[in-house]
Amino acid sequence: MKITSLVLSSLSVLPLASALPATRRQASCTAANAIQRKEYSDLTTDEKLAFISAVKCVQSLPSRFAPGEIPASENLFDDFTAVHIDLSLSIHLSGTFLSWHREYLRLLETVMHEQCGYPAGLGIPYWQWTKYSAATLELSPIFDGSETSLGSNGSPDPNGKPYELTPGVFVPHGTGGLCVERGPFANTTVRFGPYPNSAILTGLPANWTQPNPRCLTRDINPTIIGGFLNAARIAQLQASENIAVFQERLTPNTATASGGLGAHRSGHIAIGMPMMDFFASPQDIVFFLHHAEVDRQWSMWQDADESRRFSYNGTSTVLNPVGVTPEVSNSTVITFGVLGDDMTLEEVAYINQGRYCYQYV
Ligand SMILES: *[C@@H]1O[C@H](CO)[C@@H](O)[C@H](O)[C@H]1NC(C)=O
Ligand SMILES: *[C@@H]1O[C@H](CO)[C@@H](O)[C@H](O)[C@H]1NC(C)=O
Ligand SMILES: *[C@@H]1O[C@H](CO)[C@@H](O)[C@H](O)[C@H]1NC(C)=O
Ligand SMILES: *[C@@H]1O[C@H](CO)[C@@H](O)[C@H](O)[C@H]1NC(C)=O
Ligand SMILES: [Cu+2]
């Protein structure tokens, strides 16, 4: 779609660039050599199977933590959740949210490419929020429960209750609620959480690293999809005049009954259960498709006006309390624990320059 903007006039820097370290190299990133991140439905059958197989491969690689350090983390895929939990009170509802999750996705994509035989030119797929309606998400190629899906919705829970998002703010439960019983991720075990939303304010319990094994559940929620992930909402997000407004529309600091949910939180609630967990949501692979869509929305918004490229708002602390951590800037460092190197926000501002060369198609 944005092929023209990707064809960079950087041929002249090539001889010089090849002398620089690979990660800093200003290589020529073009539509022809960029990693393609496709909407899940646009993957071929072979590509869907390659993605599913790569996820299972990451779930079979050893944990990078020292034995006993994080007892709930049994493999490298779990490590992605553990690091996300550990940093949750810095990387959400803060100025580092967009940048941190951009690099986080790239780290999983890199493991898939380097250790799991995932096709080099293919990236993590995304879930385009507006592609499916409230009625059809459950029947989509992502969730239809077939061998090329990411598993079904959870089985219906006849006792499902409304969710209280924040005190006094309820949304109805969805059409599932129990274990995912069909498709490649049927009967997957999750071990982290659940953690209460109150831990956003109080901090995690000391035993957060202890395993609590149970089945992967989902509760696809038509109320949320219809109400908050619709085309009008996404158009409004893209029309945001500055980064503070963009972040507020994507993921506001307070959820209100009048609609202050934002597309980011809505996507988590729309899938439900582990995906709704503020801390432990990456346990459901759909997290990565949802966050690829968040990243796609951010990159489109950045591309629309270059003055937005290095604009930031917020601190490195959840809810941006005054005086705890500084307002973020180009030089703010984000960390990734056992998953990867430290990064500055300046280094992750383009998806097609510097350390990244991928595009959303
Ligand atoms: C998942 O578990 C359910 C209930 O135990 C069982 O009926 C079903 O066959 C399992 N599915 C797979 C794919 O293992
Ligand atoms: C952690 O501690 C809480 C409070 O004592 C308890 O309810 C919960 O089951 C514990 N979690 C695990 C995984 O041990
Ligand atoms: C961040 O945005 C808020 C809301 O618009 C604003 O009050 C604040 O001054 C901004 N912070 C910086 C550092 O620009
Ligand atoms: C952030 O970095 C970019 C690219 O190096 C630079 O153009 C921009 O001026 C920097 N912003 C600030 C406020 O220093
Ligand atoms: Cu997150």
Side-chain angles (χ1 to χ4, degrees):
M1 243 182 251
K2 296 192 302 297
I3 286 170
T4 46
S5 69
L6 269 164
V7 182
L8 308 171
S9 54
S10 51
L11 279 175
S12 57
V13 304
L14 265 179
L16 205 161
S18 56
L20 296 170
T23 52
R24 306 288 152 152
R25 191 184 303 157
Q26 194 76 16
S28 178
C29 180
T30 66
N33 67 11
I35 290 169
Q36 309 276 307
R37 290 193 180 171
K38 301 183 183 179
E39 213 287 331
Y40 194 77
S41 304
D42 293 334
L43 297 176
T44 64
T45 297
D46 282 353
E47 288 171 340
K48 290 188 185 99
L49 294 173
F51 180 69
I52 292 160
S53 148
V55 175
K56 291 185 182 249
C57 164
V58 181
Q59 291 174 334
S60 73
L61 293 171
S63 167
R64 294 180 187 168
F65 288 104
E69 192 180 350
I70 309 277
S73 202
E74 293 192 359
N75 58 59
L76 184 53
F77 189 75
D78 291 343
D79 288 359
F80 275 82
T81 300
V83 168
H84 183 273
I85 295 169
D86 192 31
L87 297 173
S88 270
L89 297 181
S90 167
I91 58 172
H92 298 117
L93 306 175
S94 71
T96 58
F97 170 73
L98 291 164
S99 306
W100 191 89
H101 287 78
R102 173 169 285 175
E103 172 65 9
Y104 182 66
L105 261 61
R106 181 66 194 130
L107 288 168
L108 181 69
E109 199 173 69
T110 304
V111 170
M112 289 179 164
H113 286 146
E114 293 181 355
Q115 294 182 258
C116 292
Y118 190 57
L122 192 61
I124 288 179
Y126 62 94
W127 157 33
Q128 187 181 345
W129 299 319
T130 55
K131 194 174 177 103
Y132 315 96
S133 70
T136 61
L137 182 61
E138 191 172 342
L139 309 171
S140 73
I142 308 177
F143 293 112
D144 67 10
S146 68
E147 283 312 302
T148 54
S149 73
L150 300 180
S152 57
N153 191 9
S155 295
D157 180 357
N159 302 313
K161 295 184 179 54
Y163 298 109
E164 188 164 25
L165 299 180
T166 52
V169 179
F170 292 89
V171 292
H173 69 88
T175 54
L178 301 177
C179 302
V180 171
E181 289 186 13
R182 289 176 294 124
F185 297 98
N187 302 337
T188 297
T189 300
V190 297
R191 284 174 283 273
F192 285 101
Y195 309 110
N197 276 343
S198 58
I200 297 169
L201 298 176
T202 60
L204 282 162
N207 68 357
W208 75 265
T209 61
Q210 296 302 314
N212 175 27
R214 60 208 190 278
C215 66
L216 172 67
T217 47
R218 288 181 183 145
D219 187 16
I220 292 181
N221 198 314
T223 309
I224 295 293
I225 298 159
F228 299 103
L229 290 174
N230 58 50
R233 287 262 171 174
I234 305 311
Q236 189 189 40
L237 173 69
Q238 283 298 324
S240 303
E241 57 272 30
N242 60 49
I243 189 67
V245 173
F246 182 81
Q247 289 178 168
E248 177 66 18
R249 287 183 181 158
L250 185 61
T251 190
N253 288 359
T254 50
T256 64
S258 60
L261 260 184
H264 165 244
R265 186 83 187 123
S266 297
H268 283 278
I269 300 168
I271 310 306
M273 318 311 277
M275 260 291 272
M276 257 179 93
D277 193 301
F278 183 84
F279 299 87
S281 47
Q283 295 187 107
D284 186 336
I285 183 59
V286 173
F287 171 99
F288 292 90
L289 279 72
H290 175 49
H291 269 274
E293 172 74 342
V294 169
D295 188 60
R296 191 178 75 97
Q297 294 288 339
W298 182 33
S299 68
M300 288 191 296
W301 185 82
Q302 290 181 301
D303 285 350
D305 178 347
E306 273 306 308
S307 73
R308 298 169 175 174
R309 185 68 58 188
F310 298 95
S311 62
Y312 311 106
N313 186 271
T315 72
S316 302
T317 305
V318 68
L319 298 167
N320 305 312
V322 174
V324 178
T325 51
E327 286 284 335
V328 300
S329 67
N330 270 350
S331 56
T332 298
V333 174
I334 44 179
T335 65
F336 297 89
V338 297
L339 301 176
D341 295 338
D342 292 357
M343 204 65 48
T344 64
L345 302 197
E346 184 177 356
E347 287 176 281
V348 304
Y350 291 93
I351 69 172
N352 59 358
Q353 287 186 36
R355 56 179 287 97
Y356 300 135
C357 182
Y358 64 85
Q359 66 171 331
Y360 291 100
V361 293

